[in-house]
Amino acid sequence: MIASTAHPHDADRIRAFIEEDYDRSGGFLSATNHFMLQGGDTVKGKLKSLEAPLLVIHGTSDPIFSVGHGMAIADAVPGSEFLPIEGGGHELHRQDWGTIVPAIVRHTE
């Protein structure tokens, strides 16, 4: 449901990834605990105070957060770069690594 629209869905690879994530995390509650985070109001509006520019990588077909969210984050932090992944979903698809990895290297040099 959160997959790329640019690449075919690989159910076996995704199942293996989910199983590894579940095993690594110690269970479902730990793997999904980021949904329980609170205190958003204490950090709301503070992006502009960041001093390190961000590389915001965002899929243009993300069904959870529209591409506008990624653009807004990049716009909020001075000197940040926005890297749209055409047809990318809410995951970093292995077939997009050829674009993503060089961008991370450039950003961290």
Side-chain angles (χ1 to χ4, degrees):
M1 293 180 65
I2 64 171
S4 166
T5 59
H7 307 294
H9 179 68
D10 184 343
D12 292 336
R13 186 182 66 79
I14 295 300
R15 177 176 294 280
F17 172 79
I18 291 169
E19 289 171 352
E20 288 172 18
D21 191 41
Y22 179 87
D23 291 343
R24 176 196 53 78
S25 68
F28 180 75
L29 290 177
S30 178
T32 60
N33 64 5
H34 56 284
F35 294 118
M36 299 184 313
L37 290 175
Q38 296 180 9
D41 288 337
T42 61
V43 296
K44 191 174 183 177
K46 294 188 178 181
L47 278 175
K48 292 179 192 235
S49 68
L50 291 177
E51 295 180 11
L54 306 176
L55 170 61
V56 180
I57 303 167
H58 199 103
T60 62
S61 296
D62 186 334
I64 297 175
F65 295 107
S66 71
V67 70
H69 284 87
M71 294 169 72
I73 290 170
D75 287 344
V77 180
S80 291
E81 177 185 351
F82 178 69
L83 176 63
I85 301 298
E86 193 61 41
H90 194 70
E91 90 293 9
L92 299 177
H93 196 280
R94 185 178 302 264
Q95 290 181 325
D96 292 321
W97 287 4
T99 300
I100 294 169
V101 171
I104 292 171
V105 169
R106 278 191 312 275
H107 185 75
T108 57
E109 289 182 326

